[in-house]
Every structure is written in C-alpha cells, then in structure tokens.
Amino acid sequence: MPDLGLPHVHSGKVRDIYAVDDDRLLMVTSDRISAFDVVMGEPIPHKGRVLTAMSAFWFDLLADVVTGHLLSTALDDLPRTAQKMAAEADLAGRVMLTRRADMLPVECIVRGYLTGSAWKEYRTAGTMHGAALPAGLAEADRLPEPVFTPSTKAEVGGKDENISFAAAVDLVGEALAAELRDVSLELYERGAEWARERGIIIADTKFELGLVGGELVLCDEVLTPDSSRFWPTDAWEPGATPPSFDKQPVRDYLDGLDWDKTPPPPPLPGGVVAATSERYIEAYERITGRSFADWPGVDG
Ligand SMILES: Nc1ncnc2c1ncn2[C@@H]1O[C@H](COP(=O)(O)OP(=O)(O)OP(=O)(O)O)[C@@H](O)[C@H]1O
Ligand SMILES: [Mg+2]
C-alpha cells in the first residue's frame, strides 16, 4: 500500500482508501485482481486506471440521475505532499478524490439477467430473491425487467446476505429505501442500455450510496467489471452463462489447474496477465468510445 502522507482509512481486495480531511477521501485503485474471491499474486497492468477511468465516465454520464461522490481524478487536486508522493508511486490515473459520505447499510444490487446465485435460486425454487419469476427461463436469460435485489455488507471475509425490500426499509426507512431502489434501477437501465449498444452486456451490478449533508450520493465505483458482470454481447446465448468479458483468461487458466480456490493462488503466466489487461482496456474503450492512451499515467 503506497504511503501518501495521509491517514489510511481502509483497504479492500483492490482499493486503498485515505482520509484527505473531514469531508474528503482519496481512493486509490490498484492493479490487483481477484478470481474466485482470492487475490492473485500478479497485478494486471493498467487495471486500476481502467476502473478509475470507467467510473469517472459513468459518474459523468449518469450525473442527472443522482449526484456522484467523485470530485476529481487529477493528481493536481490532491494536497501538495500527497500529490508528490502519489506521482512517485505511479498513481496518476488511478486516484479518485471523493466526498466523504455516511454510507447506507444496504448494497444496491440490480439484476438484468438470470445468472450466478440468482440462477441457482430460480433453478431450485422458481424464484429470484424470494419473488416469483415467469416459468421456463434459462440460465443467463434476460429478465422481463431489471430487479432490485438488495443485500447487506458482510463483515470482513463473510458472504453478503440478501435482504428483502422490507428489511431494507427497516434499515434506512421507507422513503430512502424506495429512493435507493428507484435510483439504482434507473442507473442500471441507463448504463446497461449504453453498454449493450456498444457490445457489452452488464448482466448485474452493485451500487453503494451514502448521504452527504442529507443528500443521497452515489459512491464507491460505478458499473465497472469489478462491481458488475460484463459479458460480450456476441457470446451471449441463454442456456449457459457467457464468458466474463474481462476475467475470462484468468478463470480459464485457473479452471485448467488442480487448484482448490483457496489461498495461496497459483502464479499467473505472463500471457494470461497480458490478455487480461487487454480485455480491461478493450472494455473501457468500447464503453466510452475514448482511447485509453489518453488517460493520465498510461504513457509512462
Ligand atoms: N464516498 C464515500 N464515503 C465513505 N465511504 C465510501 C465512499 N465510497 C466508498 N466508500 C466505502 O469505502 C469502502 C471501499 O472499500 P473497498 O470496496 O475497497 O473494499 P471492501 O468493500 O471492504 O472489500 P472488497 O474488496 O470486497 O470490495 C467500502 O466500505 C465503501 O462502502
Ligand atoms: Mg467494495
């Protein structure tokens, strides 16, 4: 974890978070990658920049739906000493200066396609998140309409727990729960349609929202491959879950090994690392229509 001369607040699997002052945080996105919930030993070149650039793109595009926490992705906007240390640690292009929010204890998951744990539940019980769905849906089918399926954040190492809408109401109150649902559905619908037109299905995603001075604010990362399932549109065929747009080279490699999916992870060959890096960059360029080479820190 880079030393930026700022108090360290939190580190997740992929990001390190620092306090800038009482009102602002600095989120640094590393190149770490996890597969099957285990962080690999090798960084994926530029992954942190891709996630930062993609989140910044979505915050901008979706700003009319809800205010975002992002203030800046420029090193110039950091406090002087942090600026210097960040530049030396090669962090250009993978920092987000954000408003500090009081996070709401509800993870806002939206599903547009039937896969993962939702498919498992449907296959055995005919329901998703406890609610009935039409009969005869196949794995990876598009749902009749996107569904808000909230969860609570697990304690470190635990599994997130699905909660009903009523349970979300208990946690944040009726009005805020309804606002979280409506905002999340609109964000997903807008983002998924945008991506679909550009060859990427966003099958499902997780948003995290918080309050800043009483105002609802979209926080964390937005519609990235780390917070969502991205599938190539042309590889989508209901009946089986399509390959992951970004992580498939890693998953395919690991599936071919005799590894029990617990730490320590096996080393990734250079070719797998390079192919994965290319997939992340391609996802960014397809979705934004921008050249990744123009993002800060990419060329040296
Ligand atoms: N604007 C914000 N203000 C305050 N907290 C925020 C803000 N944006 C995100 N967060 C919080 O910062 C943390 C980001 O942590 P991060 O996602 O890196 O790790 P994690 O969620 O603990 O683990 P994982 O690696 O599984 O995601 C989360 O707890 C998130 O709720
Ligand atoms: Mg997280």
Side-chain angles (χ1 to χ4, degrees):
M1 186 186 66
D3 175 11
L4 301 179
L6 298 171
H8 172 245
V9 178
H10 177 87
S11 283
K13 286 195 286 291
V14 172
R15 289 173 299 168
D16 302 308
I17 299 168
Y18 306 80
V20 174
D21 51 36
D22 287 350
D23 303 323
R24 295 178 303 165
L25 295 175
L26 177 61
M27 307 187 66
V28 177
T29 307
S30 73
D31 289 341
R32 298 191 287 270
I33 189 170
S34 68
F36 307 108
D37 266 339
V38 177
V39 180
M40 300 291 115
E42 297 74 19
I44 303 299
H46 292 311
K47 175 172 178 274
R49 292 195 173 93
V50 167
L51 297 187
T52 305
M54 205 182 283
S55 284
F57 171 81
W58 289 122
F59 275 120
D60 206 31
L61 190 81
L62 300 170
D64 60 312
V65 180
V66 60
T67 306
H69 70 157
L70 182 61
L71 296 169
S72 173
T73 56
L75 287 187
D76 289 354
D77 291 323
L78 302 184
R80 277 253 170 265
T81 39
Q83 220 176 93
K84 262 184 87 182
M85 293 168 104
E88 276 157 22
D90 190 31
L91 300 192
R94 47 200 185 93
V95 297
M96 296 204 306
L97 182 67
T98 74
R99 290 186 184 87
R100 193 201 281 245
D102 292 320
M103 298 305 291
L104 294 166
V106 176
E107 309 244 284
C108 297
I109 295 169
V110 180
R111 299 175 191 275
Y113 293 76
L114 188 57
T115 190
S117 61
W119 163 245
K120 273 187 200 139
E121 178 187 330
Y122 176 78
R123 198 183 45 192
T124 52
T127 57
M128 182 175 77
H129 212 75
L133 281 181
L137 294 176
E139 179 177 0
D141 244 334
R142 190 168 174 183
L143 295 167
E145 57 188 6
V147 183
F148 179 63
T149 60
S151 74
T152 51
K153 209 179 169 75
E155 302 301 315
V156 173
K159 247 189 153 346
D160 291 1
E161 192 188 335
N162 284 346
I163 56 170
S164 63
F165 185 73
V169 169
D170 286 344
L171 286 170
V172 300
E174 176 98 53
L176 203 46
E179 201 180 352
L180 287 177
R181 178 195 59 206
D182 295 348
V183 162
S184 299
L185 286 169
E186 188 170 351
L187 289 170
Y188 172 79
E189 275 166 30
R190 285 263 303 271
E193 187 185 355
W194 178 278
R196 198 181 301 115
E197 287 165 357
R198 290 157 181 83
I200 293 177
I201 289 173
I202 302 180
D204 49 32
T205 194
K206 177 186 77 177
F207 300 109
E208 292 193 35
L209 293 102
L211 296 174
V212 178
E215 186 195 3
L216 189 64
V217 171
L218 179 61
C219 296
D220 215 58
E221 58 185 324
V222 176
L223 295 172
T224 70
D226 276 18
S227 68
S228 327
R229 280 190 178 90
F230 280 23
W231 297 336
T233 309
D234 55 14
W236 172 63
E237 195 164 351
T241 289
S244 154
F245 193 95
D246 38 285
K247 284 189 184 174
Q248 207 59 33
V250 174
R251 297 224 181 112
D252 287 347
Y253 174 73
L254 294 173
D255 274 336
L257 301 179
D258 183 22
W259 174 52
D260 65 0
K261 318 239 154 68
T262 62
L268 299 176
V272 171
V273 169
T276 307
S277 177
E278 278 163 27
R279 301 297 284 164
Y280 273 87
I281 292 168
E282 188 185 341
Y284 169 76
E285 293 191 329
R286 277 212 206 180
I287 283 179
T288 65
R290 296 173 185 168
S291 168
F292 184 59
D294 294 339
W295 186 252
V298 174
D299 283 331

